[in-house]
Amino acid sequence: MRVVIAEDHALLRDGLIRLLEAHDFEVVEAVDNGPRLVPALVQHRPDVAVVDVRLPPTFTDEGLKAAIEARRQVPGLPVLVLSQYVEQLYARELLTGGGGAVGYLLKDRVSNVAEFLDSVRRVAGGGTAMDPDVIGQLLARNTRDEPIGRLTPRESEVLGLMAEGRSNAAIASALFVTEKAVSKHTNNIFAKLDLPPSEDDNRRVMAVLTYLSSR
Amino acid sequence: MTTIQTAAPAPPLRYPRLAQPFLALGLAILAEVGIAFFVLNVVSVPLIAVWVGIPMLLVFVPCTRWFANCHRRMLAGFLGAPITRPYRQPPMKGLLMRLRTILADPATWRDIVWLLTNAVLGFTLNLLSAVLFLASVFYLIYPFLVWVTPPGVFDQPFGGLFTLNVATSFLMVPLGLVAFLIWSASGERLLKANAHLAKSLLGPTESAQLAIRVRELAESRAETVDTQAAELRRIERDLHDGAQARLAALSMNLGMAEEMVARDPAQAAALLTEARESASTALAELRDLVRGIHPPVLADRGLEGAVKALAISCPFKVDVSFDLPGRPPAPVESAAYFAIAEALANTVKYAAATNAWIQVSYEQEKLHLLVGDDGVGGATVVTGGGLYGIERRLAAFDGTLTLVSPTGGPTTVIMELPCESSSLKTTPSSGTA
C-alpha cells in the first residue's frame, strides 16, 4: 500500500516511515511542511496519507487544512490525521469533507502499533478511524431528551466502537461477545436513533457521527 | 475599573419631566440645609487649635461627604452619567492619619466650597426652575382660586395693584401659559446647569482622577502578579508531580526491560507495555497542561474557532455569534477565551440549562463578550468562585464583568475588555471550509 507522510519532526517522521515500511507499506513521499503536502497528495494519489495537524510554516492547523484541501481536489482521498490533541471541531471539519475514508487520532495512539496499523488499514480501505477521545466526548454529552439517552449502557458501548469506525467483527472481539449479538445491538441502535439501516459500514459510521456532531 | 452588579448596568435614571419641579424644590431646600454642614465644617477647622476641632472634623467631614454623595447620586440623573467620588483613601490606619488625609484632600475643601455655592447659586437655579412650574400651575387655576377663596385673599394680585372678580380673573390665565412655556423651555436646563455646576466641584479634579486610576491600576497589577505567580506554581507542581514523575518511571521501566530482554523476554515485554502506558499517560497530562496554559485550538484558529470548539464540546446546544473585525492581541484573546470558557463551564455545572448562547462583538474600542443560558439563574460572584476568577482575570486588562442572574433564570454574563481597534489584526489563516 502506498503512503504519503506529512510530519515536521524528523524523529517522528523517520519512526513513522520505519513503522509503516516494516508492515508492508510503501512510503512514496514524506514531506515536512504544509505547502508541499497538497501537491504531493494530488500527484501521488496514495492509498492513504498520514498527516500531522501542526505543520510549518504557520505551526497551526496547516496539515489539517492541507488534508481538507487535498480531499476537495481528490474526493475520497483517504487521510489519517494525527494530532497532539483531539478537537471535535476538527473531527467535524474532516467528516464534512464527505466521502468517508478519514481518520483522526491522537499521536500517542501510534505507540500501540497493532491498533495504529489497523486504523491506517481501515482508512486506506475507505473506512473511518476516530479517536476514542472524540467519540467519548460526543457520547458523554448531556443526553436529556435525546434519543441517545434511550440506549442501554451496552448499546452505547457498541455505538462508541462503531463510531470509531470498527467493524462488527472487531466490536465483537473487543467486547467478548458474538458477532450476532453485536449486529442485534447495532440494529437496536439504528432503530432508537431513527437511522435507516444500511449495508455500507462506512455510511453507518458517518450517519452516527453526523447525527452526533450536528446537534 | 471592576464593577459587580446584581442587576443590569442601568445608566443613571433620567427623571420624568413632571417629577423635576418637585425634585428641584427638594434640592433647593437641601441647598439651605447644606449651610449647616458648611458652618459645622468651617467652625471645626480653627477649633483644631484647642483639640475640640479634631473629633468635630472626624464626625462632620464624613457627614458632609455623605450629604455630598447623596447629591452625587441624585444629580447623576440630570447629567445622565455618574459623578465619581473623588476622596482619597488614608494610606494607613489610625485616626490621625485619617485626619491628615481629610485635611490634605482637595476634595474636602471642594465639598465645602460646593456647600456654599450650592446654597447660593444651586438654590437659585433650583428654586427658579421649581417656581416657574408652580407659577404656571398657579396662574392656570387662578380663576378657580379666586372662586373658592374668601374675598381679599386671591382677588388682589401683585400686592393689591388691582382687584379681580371670578370673570376678570381669567385675564391671569395667559400668565400661567407664559410661565409654562418658559418652564418647558428652560426648566430642565436650569437643573442641568445646577448639576454641571455641582459636578465641577463634586467630581474629581484631573489629578484626583489620575490618583483614582493609579489606585485601581496598582490594585489590579498586584492581583495580576498574584494570579500569575499562583498559575506558575500550579504548572510547576503539575509538571513535577505528573509528567516528570511518569517519565522517570518510564525510563526506569525501559532500563529494567533492557536488562531483562535476553534473560526473560516475556517479563521484558510486560515492562515495555507498562512503559508505553506511562508514556501515554504522561502525554495526556502534558496535553491537559498545555490546554490550561494556552489551548492549541486558540493558537490555531483564534478566538472564533476556539469558542466554536468550546460550543461543540458542550453537552447542550450553544449558539455562537461573532462580529469581530480582526484578531485581538494574543493576551486579550487568551483572557477573552478563558473568560468565556469559565462562564460556560459554570453554566454546564450549575445552570441546568438546555440552551446557551455566546456573543462576541466589538464596539467602542471594547470587546463585548456575552454568555447567556436559559437555566435556573441565581448565580453570584463569590470570592474564590469561578466568576470571581474571571473578574480578576479581566481586571488585569481593565475589563469588567456584569452578572444578571435572577433566581429562576435566565443568567447572562456580560464581559467587556478594552482593546484598541488599531491592535486588531486581520489574519490570513482564518476561514477554513
Side-chain angles (χ1 to χ4, degrees), chain B residues 19-368:
Chain B
Q20 285 173 4
F22 303 99
L23 272 167
L25 206 60
L27 283 171
I29 294 166
L30 282 178
E32 295 316 303
V33 173
I35 292 177
F37 288 94
F38 174 77
V39 171
L40 290 172
N41 277 297
V42 169
V43 167
S44 310
V45 176
L47 287 180
I48 292 178
V50 289
W51 298 106
V52 191
I54 295 174
M56 281 174 75
L57 270 182
L58 286 173
V59 172
F60 296 143
V61 169
C63 288
T64 312
R65 290 185 175 185
W66 170 80
F67 186 70
N69 280 339
C70 293
H71 277 82
R72 285 186 182 99
R73 251 200 314 276
M74 279 192 283
L75 296 175
F78 294 112
L79 294 168
I83 302 174
T84 316
R85 294 175 191 185
Y87 305 119
R88 283 185 198 164
Q89 301 286 346
M92 277 180 280
K93 282 197 155 95
L95 276 183
L96 279 181
M97 187 49 79
R98 180 128 48 104
L99 186 72
R100 226 189 80 136
T101 316
I102 284 173
L103 289 176
D105 192 348
T108 309
W109 309 107
R110 279 151 51 86
D111 277 358
I112 292 172
V113 174
W114 165 73
L115 285 172
L116 199 61
T117 43
N118 192 39
V120 183
L121 275 172
F123 171 77
T124 315
L125 290 167
N126 281 316
L127 199 66
L128 203 59
S129 177
V131 162
L132 274 171
F133 176 80
L134 295 176
S136 75
V137 173
F138 177 72
Y139 285 118
L140 285 174
I141 60 165
Y142 204 84
F144 175 74
L145 291 174
V146 173
W147 179 53
V148 294
T149 51
V153 181
F154 279 114
D155 53 2
Q156 290 183 329
F158 303 119
L161 225 54
F162 45 87
T163 313
L164 296 170
N165 57 35
V166 175
T168 51
S169 66
F170 277 95
L171 289 172
M172 301 298 283
V173 173
L175 275 180
L177 279 175
V178 171
F180 184 80
L181 286 176
I182 298 175
W183 172 76
S184 66
S186 66
E188 198 169 5
R189 279 180 209 178
L190 287 169
L191 295 176
K192 271 192 181 156
N194 169 52
H196 280 289
L197 178 77
K199 192 191 173 186
S200 68
L201 285 165
L202 289 182
T205 57
E206 205 166 305
S207 72
Q209 240 157 3
L210 284 174
I212 291 170
R213 185 85 191 103
V214 167
R215 197 161 71 215
E216 283 169 9
L217 288 178
E219 274 167 16
S220 83
R221 188 191 58 181
E223 263 169 16
T224 309
V225 170
D226 280 357
T227 33
Q228 289 204 330
E231 188 80 340
L232 277 178
R233 272 198 304 280
R234 182 185 67 81
I235 294 168
E236 187 270 339
R237 205 173 45 234
D238 285 359
L239 278 174
H240 185 263
D241 298 345
Q244 219 172 8
R246 286 191 196 282
L247 288 173
L250 165 72
S251 89
M252 206 174 69
N253 275 346
L254 285 175
M256 276 157 67
E258 190 180 34
E259 187 258 338
M260 216 177 268
V261 73
R263 242 176 340 110
D264 186 353
Q267 184 76 18
L271 280 171
L272 285 173
T273 311
E274 208 176 300
R276 180 167 57 75
E277 274 162 11
S278 69
S280 293
T281 322
L283 279 171
E285 275 172 8
L286 284 173
R287 201 157 37 232
D288 285 349
L289 195 61
V290 166
R291 192 165 290 182
I293 299 168
H294 192 82
V297 65
L298 181 61
D300 291 357
R301 293 289 177 87
L303 191 57
E304 185 165 357
V307 169
K308 279 184 180 154
L310 268 183
I312 291 178
S313 54
C314 214
F316 40 76
K317 194 168 173 294
V318 182
D319 293 316
V320 179
S321 84
F322 252 81
D323 184 18
L324 280 189
R327 257 183 99 158
V332 176
E333 194 175 69
S334 174
Y337 171 82
F338 280 110
I340 293 176
E342 182 66 45
L344 198 61
N346 260 327
T347 301
V348 173
K349 265 192 253 170
Y350 308 115
T354 57
N355 256 310
W357 42 93
I358 298 170
Q359 283 166 22
V360 179
S361 60
Y362 184 77
E363 224 176 274
Q364 292 170 344
E365 309 276 291
K366 266 183 185 168
L367 218 52
H368 296 262

